[in-house]
C-alpha cells in the first residue's frame, strides 16, 4: 500500500503465524548446564511483500525480521530478554578502542609509504591539524577508500565499499560459506545456497529510493580489497533507520576487528544519508557476547509498555539485572505505588529506597504492583494454556480496550488469494468467535492486530492466501 511520501507502490502483506515457544540459543552459549529448554517465546508473522515504512513501525514496537519471518519476542517469558536499542547517529561518541581499530585498518590499507608521501606533498594547515585531533567519524571512515585517496599517490591496497542490491551471487555465497565455517564452526550439512538466499537475500522489503535519492529496502554493504570481497553487511534501510541484519567477513581478515569497523561504517551511513538512527539489533544483557552493542553510545532502549525510549545507562543496566525484564515505565509505576503507600495518600509522597523496591519485586502478593514480573507462566505453559495473548499480557501488545478505540477489526483488510482483498467481516465464520478466543478467526486477528499495533493493523493487508 502506498504510504505518505515513502513511494511504496506495492501491497504490504503479513501472514499471522502466532505465538510459539522454543529453546534459547543465547543462554545455552553462556552456560548450558544452568538453563532449561523451552525458555523463550515469540509472536511470529511472515511476509513476502513489506513496505520499509511499515517495517520501521514494527521495529519501533520491538519486532525484527529473519528472512521473511518477523517476530516479536515475549520479554516477560524469556530467560534472555531481547531489548530493541537504537543510537541517534548525530549524537554518536566513539570509544578509544573503536577509533584505534579504524585507524589501524586505515594504515594497513593506505600503507606507510602513502601516508609519508601524502604528509609531505599535502601538508596540513594548523587548522586542519587541530581538526584532525578532534575525531571526525565520516572523514576517518572514508579516508582509505579509492575515491578519497590522493590521485597521484598509489596506496598499498585498493579499498572500496559499495551499497548493492541484496541479490544472490556466487561471490557473496563464498564469503558466507567461509564465515559460517570459521566463525560459527558449521559444516556441509548446515551451509547451503538455499539457506543463504532464504536468510540474507531476497528480503520482503520493497527496495526503492525515497524522494529519488535515499535508498530504502534491503541492501548488501560490500567491502572489497584489491577487488576481492572480504566482508559484507546485510542492511535494512528504513525511513528513519539503518538497521543491521547480519555481518560476515573472511577469516583471512579476522585480526582487523571488522565487527567494530562495520558498526562505525553503519553509524556513518546513517549520519551522512540522513537516516537519523542506527539500530544494531537486539541488546541481550544476560549474554556477554551481545553486550558489546552497549559500547556504541548513546544507546536508547525501547519500553514495550509505553513505546518510548530510555537511555541504556547504569540505571537501566541495574534494572535489567534485577528484573525478569526491564521497563522504566513499569518501574515508575512501582515507585509511585510505593511512594503512595508511604504517604498514606495524605502527605506528599517521599522517595522509596532501593531496598523497598527490591523487597517489593520479590513479594508474592498478587495485589502488589511490584510483584508483577514473577507472575508470568513459562513459555511452554503459556503456549499450551489456550489463553489469548490479550489475556496473557505479553509486553509489546496493544491492550484490547486501546485496540477498540483505534481499530475496527471488522474492516481490517484480508487477502484471500484469487478472491482478492476483502474486509474481515466478509469472512463467513468471522462473527462465530470472540476476540479472546485465540483459536477462532476473530481471536487470531485480534492477537495479530494487538501485536502489530493499530497503525499496521489499519494499513497492512492480512494475507491468508499463502
Amino acid at each position: 500500500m502506498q504510504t505518505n511520501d515513502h513511494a511504496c507502490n506495492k501491497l504490504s502483506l503479513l501472514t499471522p503465524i502466532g505465538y510459539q515457544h522454543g529453546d534459547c540459543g543465547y543462554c545455552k552459549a553462556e552456560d548450558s548446564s544452568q538453563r532449561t529448554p523451552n525458555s523463550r517465546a515469540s509472536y511470529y508473522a511472515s511476509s513476502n511483500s513489506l513496505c520499509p515504512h511499515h517495517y520501521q513501525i514494527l521495529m519501533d514496537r520491538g519486532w525484527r525480521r529473519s528472512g521473511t519471518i518477523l517476530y516479536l519476542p515475549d520479554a516477560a517469558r524469556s530467560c534472555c530478554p531481547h531489548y530493541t536499542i537504537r543510537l541517534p547517529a548525530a549524537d554518536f561518541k566513539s570509544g578509544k578502542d573503536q577509533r584505534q581499530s579504524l585507524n589501524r585498518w586505515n594504515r594497513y590499507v593506505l600503507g606507510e609509504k602513502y601516508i609519508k608521501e601524502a604528509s609531505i606533498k599535502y601538508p596540513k594547515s594548523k587548522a586542519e591539524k587541530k581538526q584532525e585531533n578532534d575525531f571526525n567519524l565520516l572523514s576517518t571512515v572514508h579516508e582509505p577508500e579509492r575515491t578519497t585517496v590522493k590521485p597521484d599517490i598509489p596506496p598499498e591496497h585498493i579499498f572500496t565499499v559499495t551499497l548493492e542490491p541484496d541479490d544472490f551471487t556466487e561471490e557473496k555465497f563464498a564469503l558466507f560459506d567461509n564465515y559460517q565455517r570459521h566463525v560459527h564452526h558449521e559444516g556441509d550439512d548446515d551451509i547451503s545456497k538455499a539457506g543463504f538466499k532464504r536468510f540474507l537475500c531476497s528480503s520482503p522489503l520493497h527496495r526503492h529510493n525515497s524522494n529519488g535519492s535515499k535508498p530504502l529496502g534491503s541492501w548488501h554493504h560490500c567491502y572489497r580489497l584489491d577487488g576481492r570481497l572480504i566482508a559484507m553487511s546485510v542492511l535494512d534501510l528504513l525511513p528513519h533507520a539503518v538497521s543491521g541484519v547480519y555481518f560476515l567477513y573472511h577469516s583471512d581478515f579476522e585480526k582487523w576487528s571488522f565487527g567494530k569497523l562495520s558498526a562505525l561504517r553503519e553509524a556513518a551511513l546513517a549520519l551522512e544519508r540522513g537516516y537519523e538512527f542506527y539500530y544494531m539489533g537486539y541488546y541481550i544483557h544476560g549474554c556477554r557476547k551481545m553486550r558489546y552493542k552497549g559500547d556504541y553510545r548513546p544507546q536508547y532502549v525501547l519500553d514495550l509498555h509505553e513505546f518510548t525510549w530510555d537511555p541504556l545507562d547504569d540505571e537501566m543496566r541495574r534494572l535489567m539485572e534485577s528484573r525478569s525484564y526491564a521497563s522504566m515505565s513499569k518501574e515508575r509505576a512501582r515507585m509511585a505505588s510505593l511512594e503512595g503507600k508511604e504517604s498514606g495518600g495524605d502527605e506528599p509522597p517521599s522517595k522509596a529506597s532501593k531496598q523497598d523496591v527490591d523487597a517489593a519485586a520479590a513479594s508474592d502478593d498478587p495485589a502488589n504492583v511490584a510483584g508483577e514480573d514473577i507472575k508470568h507462566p513459562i513459555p511452554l505453559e503459556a503456549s499450551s494454556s489456550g489463553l489469548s495473548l490479550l489475556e496473557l499480557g505479553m509486553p509489546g501488545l496493544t491492550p484490547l480496550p486501546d485496540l477498540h478505540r483505534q481499530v475496527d477489526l471488522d474492516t481490517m483488510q484480508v487477502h484471500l488469494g484469487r478472491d482478492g482483498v476483502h474486509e474481515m467481516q466478509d469472512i463467513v465464520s468471522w462473527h462465530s468467535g470472540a476476540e479472546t478466543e485465540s483459536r477462532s478467526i476473530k481471536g487470531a486477528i485480534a492477537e495479530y492486530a494487538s501485536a502489530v499495533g493499530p497503525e499496521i493493523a489499519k494499513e497492512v493487508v492480512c494475507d491468508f492466501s499463502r
Side-chain angles (χ1 to χ4, degrees):
M1 297 182 68
Q2 187 163 340
T3 55
N4 50 56
D5 62 344
H6 299 294
C8 234
N9 55 9
K10 299 179 182 178
L11 281 176
S12 281
L13 301 169
L14 274 175
T15 302
I17 296 175
Y19 185 84
Q20 297 180 7
H21 69 271
D23 293 345
C24 175
Y26 293 103
C27 63
K28 281 186 176 181
E30 292 294 295
D31 184 1
S32 59
S33 65
Q34 300 298 316
R35 303 289 183 171
T36 57
N38 304 323
S39 52
R40 66 168 179 82
S42 298
Y43 182 88
Y44 292 90
S46 67
S47 177
N48 285 325
S49 179
L50 191 62
C51 177
H53 168 65
H54 289 137
Y55 184 48
Q56 175 82 68
I57 295 169
L58 288 169
M59 277 212 321
D60 290 339
R61 292 182 60 90
W63 288 74
R64 294 287 292 180
R65 76 168 186 90
S66 176
T68 59
I69 300 297
L70 296 97
Y71 57 101
L72 174 66
D74 186 346
R77 298 171 185 83
S78 293
C79 52
C80 299
H82 293 36
Y83 299 100
T84 296
I85 56 171
R86 73 181 187 187
L87 183 151
D91 298 335
F92 173 57
K93 305 296 182 186
S94 61
K96 181 179 179 181
D97 62 328
Q98 296 160 2
R99 296 193 295 271
Q100 287 176 339
S101 296
L102 186 56
N103 288 326
R104 189 164 66 99
W105 172 253
N106 289 357
R107 293 187 74 87
Y108 168 73
V109 174
L110 295 173
E112 295 299 330
K113 183 179 179 181
Y114 173 92
I115 293 171
K116 184 177 180 179
E117 287 190 25
S119 66
I120 296 172
K121 199 166 188 178
Y122 299 93
K124 291 183 171 63
S125 66
K126 289 184 178 180
E128 287 174 327
K129 288 180 180 179
K130 183 178 183 302
Q131 188 177 11
E132 193 176 57
N133 292 331
D134 299 326
F135 178 76
N136 184 292
L137 176 63
L138 296 184
S139 62
T140 309
V141 156
H142 295 306
E143 182 183 5
E145 294 175 10
R146 182 175 62 181
T147 55
T148 307
V149 297
K150 306 302 181 185
D152 55 342
I153 306 176
E156 187 74 21
H157 302 280
I158 302 299
F159 181 55
T160 62
V161 181
T162 55
L163 198 60
E164 303 175 9
D166 68 334
D167 298 330
F168 172 88
T169 68
E170 292 291 344
E171 178 190 39
K172 294 173 184 176
F173 176 70
L175 178 65
F176 173 77
D177 182 283
N178 173 273
Y179 180 77
Q180 297 301 115
R181 290 181 191 278
H182 290 89
V183 176
H184 292 290
H185 309 293
E186 294 182 348
D188 291 342
D189 293 340
D190 304 307
I191 302 170
S192 68
K193 292 181 180 180
F196 173 59
K197 290 176 183 177
R198 184 173 58 251
F199 180 34
L200 298 175
C201 303
S202 305
S203 158
L205 298 185
H206 308 151
R207 193 169 57 240
H208 61 281
N209 287 338
S210 175
N211 300 322
S213 60
K214 188 177 180 182
L216 297 178
S218 297
W219 301 78
H220 290 159
H221 212 203
C222 297
Y223 300 54
R224 290 185 174 85
L225 190 72
D226 301 325
R228 176 190 177 192
L229 182 65
I230 62 168
M232 184 176 80
S233 291
V234 181
L235 303 177
D236 289 336
L237 302 183
L238 310 175
H240 306 296
V242 170
S243 173
V245 178
Y246 203 66
F247 179 74
L248 48 155
Y249 57 85
H250 198 280
S251 58
D252 289 352
F253 297 86
E254 188 170 4
K255 71 175 183 179
W256 294 107
S257 303
F258 259 82
K260 292 177 183 176
L261 299 182
S262 65
L264 293 170
R265 282 195 165 272
E266 287 155 28
L269 179 65
L271 180 62
E272 64 188 344
R273 295 289 189 98
Y275 291 102
E276 190 174 2
F277 298 106
Y278 174 36
Y279 289 60
M280 296 184 71
Y282 290 123
Y283 175 79
I284 303 174
H285 189 72
C287 181
R288 289 188 297 271
K289 292 182 178 179
M290 299 296 285
R291 288 182 192 168
Y292 75 91
K293 296 178 182 181
D295 296 337
Y296 297 84
R297 300 175 180 176
Q299 295 280 10
Y300 290 81
V301 180
L302 176 66
D303 185 284
L304 289 172
H305 296 274
E306 293 188 350
F307 301 110
T308 52
W309 299 86
D310 298 293
L312 179 57
D313 53 15
D314 290 342
E315 182 183 7
M316 177 62 79
R317 289 183 173 90
R318 285 194 294 268
L319 195 63
M320 290 175 175
E321 291 168 0
S322 63
R323 303 288 185 239
S324 62
Y325 76 96
S327 165
M328 278 295 177
S329 67
K330 287 187 70 176
E331 201 64 17
R332 286 188 286 268
R334 290 188 180 102
M335 296 298 290
S337 174
L338 289 169
E339 290 171 350
K341 288 178 181 178
E342 279 193 2
S343 66
D346 296 321
E347 309 224 358
S350 60
K351 187 172 182 179
S353 69
K354 180 180 183 298
Q355 290 78 12
D356 290 334
V357 174
D358 291 341
S363 172
D364 283 334
D365 180 2
N368 192 330
V369 174
E372 286 180 291
D373 282 352
I374 62 172
K375 299 302 174 185
H376 299 295
I378 64 173
L380 177 60
E381 292 174 351
S383 61
S384 61
S385 67
L387 293 175
S388 166
L389 294 183
L390 297 165
E391 296 173 297
L392 286 171
M394 175 177 160
L397 269 63
T398 300
L400 194 55
D402 295 340
L403 196 64
H404 282 156
R405 284 193 293 270
Q406 300 178 69
V407 181
D408 182 356
L409 297 181
D410 289 349
T411 60
M412 283 177 57
Q413 296 183 90
V414 57
H415 185 238
L416 299 173
R418 292 180 180 179
D419 292 332
V421 177
H422 298 268
E423 292 185 346
M424 291 294 177
Q425 60 191 349
D426 295 335
I427 299 175
V428 173
S429 57
W430 173 249
H431 295 288
S432 62
E435 292 164 344
T436 53
E437 292 178 24
S438 59
R439 291 180 174 85
S440 71
I441 292 179
K442 182 172 285 189
I445 294 303
E447 281 189 345
Y448 159 80
S450 177
V452 300
E455 191 169 355
I456 296 295
K458 288 187 289 187
E459 293 185 3
V460 175
V461 178
C462 190
D463 186 14
F464 283 165
S465 64
R466 296 174 62 188

